[in-house]
Amino acid sequence: MSVSGLTGSPSRSCLRIPVCSSGSVKRVSAFTSPGKPKDQIKIAYLERWYWAGSAQGCKKQRTYSIKCAMDASYGDMSDGSTAIFPRINVRDPYKRLGISREASEEEIQAARNFLVQKYAGHKPSIDAIESAHDKIIMQKFYERRNPKIDIKKKVREVRQSRVMQAIMSRFQTPSTKIIIKTSVAFLVIGVLTVLFPTEEGPTLQVAISLIATMYFIHERLKSKIRAFLYGAGAFIFSWLLGTFLMVAVIPPIPILKGLRSFEVTTSLITYVLLWVSSTYLK
């Protein structure tokens, strides 16, 4: 068997050496043969002669023998034949591993194992793969320790709930003419409430808003009973919700001052809810 100028057998291995002057090949034994003492063979190193060109002549190079003959018979495994990870310079760890940001831990681990097995012979590729894997794992761990509130996801979940679906089914979008008419009416009532608050509070303006709500609902639904029930129910719900928001949620507004500022702010919140009821309730 001969590989790259080295012949080997279970008992003998020779190195074919080209001689500079005649171009012939010199055979040098690298192992002991029967009848020869081991101290006569210099197995610590092999002297290789090679031809460096007619201008430079022959140069001598000493290579220490660090492999056995059977290892050398398989040839030298060079790094040039090793596959290189093509995304080694990609900064995004998810893109480097070829996975999405919603990938599970099992998918992340599977992608890492596949790439490590495929590019096992190239150390920089392995380092890049392991670095991306570690960054993703640490990021997942941090997100579990410090969860973020996804507002869009929460809103989507609320809108898809059964309660919200039932509520939304009670509303419909009217024509633009009705929206403009109701908007102008409640806007005027709100301006009058802010500009002319009385000592007893905006009682008159609130009463006008209740009447306007029943009128607009009757105009759309053409039913006096439904207009009265929807208007009265919307007014009670709006006033209670406005009072709760002013007491527990909304802080005092500096623009609205006076003894009746609380009632004025509550009335404005009520007007908004009544406008929604009179315009979109079906």
Side-chain angles (χ1 to χ4, degrees), residues 37-56:
K38 295 182 178 180
D39 56 0
Q40 294 181 2
I41 305 299
K42 299 180 179 181
I43 62 173
Y45 64 87
L46 299 176
E47 294 181 355
R48 296 192 302 177
W49 295 81
Y50 65 94
W51 183 253
S54 59
Q56 296 180 357

Side-chain angles (χ1 to χ4, degrees), residues 91-111:
R91 299 185 62 181
D92 190 344
Y94 290 93
K95 294 182 180 179
R96 189 184 302 175
L97 294 186
I99 58 177
S100 64
R101 296 186 177 274
E102 291 77 19
S104 62
E105 294 186 3
E106 291 77 11
E107 294 173 341
I108 296 171
Q109 191 67 27

